[in-house]
Amino acid sequence: MKQAFLVFLGGGFGSVIRYWISKPLNPLFHNFFLGTFLVNIIGCLLIGLFLGLTARGNVISSNNTLFLATGFCGGFTTFSAFAFEKHSLLKNGDFLNLAIYLISSIGIGVLAVVLGLWIAKHI
């Protein structure tokens, strides 16, 4: 039960922080959801860092991993908003921005995870 509460608590914090970032940033650029993009990339970096530190052993406990990686990063990042925003670009026929957003989100997201793991290994 304690583990579920840690995930719940971390997810709540992550969701609120995502809202605070996405709400003001998403409207800044026409057809590029900057807030969602940034939280997903930052979340990829953080999960790489958290899981990399966990893998090193004795750096982050399993309970803290549940709170940070599963809870916080799970609540902070948002695949559902990402998918919905891609659908709206597709529906509007904006194929160029759809392609740019998809490729950059996935490519930079994977690179951010790798960077997070690298940082965890070298600190």
Side-chain angles (χ1 to χ4, degrees):
M1 193 59 153
K2 177 182 176 184
Q3 289 83 10
F5 181 70
L6 290 170
V7 172
F8 170 77
L9 195 60
F13 282 125
S15 296
V16 169
I17 293 171
R18 177 184 72 229
Y19 173 76
W20 286 342
I21 293 171
S22 294
K23 178 92 169 144
L25 294 180
N26 274 349
L28 291 180
F29 296 98
H30 180 67
N31 289 337
F32 192 86
F33 303 93
L34 181 63
T36 303
F37 178 78
L38 287 176
V39 298
N40 285 334
I41 298 305
I42 293 166
C44 288
L45 176 67
L46 290 175
I47 202 165
L49 180 63
F50 298 149
L51 294 178
L53 290 172
T54 300
R56 286 180 56 185
N58 297 329
V59 179
I60 296 180
S61 71
S62 60
N63 282 340
N64 284 336
T65 301
L66 286 172
F67 175 79
L68 294 169
T70 306
F72 180 81
C73 288
F76 183 63
T77 60
T78 174
F79 188 75
S80 57
F82 171 80
F84 177 77
E85 291 161 356
K86 297 321 135 290
H87 173 265
S88 68
L89 292 173
L90 184 62
K91 186 173 128 184
N92 292 333
D94 193 352
F95 302 114
L96 179 61
N97 279 320
L98 173 67
I100 291 169
Y101 197 8
L102 276 171
I103 292 167
S104 62
S105 292
I106 295 167
I108 296 171
V110 170
L111 290 174
V113 169
V114 170
L115 178 61
L117 290 167
W118 183 86
I119 292 169
K121 184 177 180 181
H122 291 91
I123 57 172

